[in-house]
Amino acid sequence: LSDREKLRGLAVAAGLAPEEIVDLDSGWAYPDLETGVRGLGSSGVATFARGLVGPEAVDEAHRAALTRFRQDDGTIRIRTAWRFLVARV
């Protein structure tokens, strides 16, 4: 739903009146890799995955994913953008 017109169309199809679409730059920041691993590991999806493959596998996958976001000072910074629609009934 990154296409603005498709997002508006979805709202209209649901009986809503679209008013505004907003793009918001955001992100996550962790002071170090292990804090990032704990942060990602706190989600419900991570808890479910731990039950399937074990905590070590989940933590290692998170470490691998976070490594590319490590800054020179050791912090982890993940930039992201969100798009949302404000609509009225």
Side-chain angles (χ1 to χ4, degrees):
L1 293 175
S2 61
D3 181 279
R4 290 173 169 269
E5 291 311 309
K6 288 183 181 179
L7 185 57
R8 276 190 185 92
L10 179 66
V12 169
L16 302 173
E19 290 196 352
E20 181 180 13
I21 294 176
V22 179
D23 292 319
L24 176 67
D25 288 327
S26 183
W28 288 274
Y30 299 107
D32 54 54
L33 182 61
E34 290 309 308
T35 303
V37 169
R38 286 193 310 275
L40 291 181
S42 67
S43 74
V45 172
T47 301
F48 180 75
R50 269 191 208 84
L52 295 175
V53 299
E56 295 83 13
V58 173
D59 288 349
E60 194 52 41
H62 285 153
R63 278 187 199 90
L66 289 172
T67 297
R68 70 185 188 129
F69 298 102
R70 189 185 307 211
Q71 307 300 302
D72 291 339
D73 64 0
T75 61
I76 304 294
R77 300 216 179 269
I78 304 170
R79 297 191 44 85
T80 189
W82 303 89
R83 174 167 288 163
F84 62 92
L85 177 134
V86 178
R88 295 205 184 267
V89 176

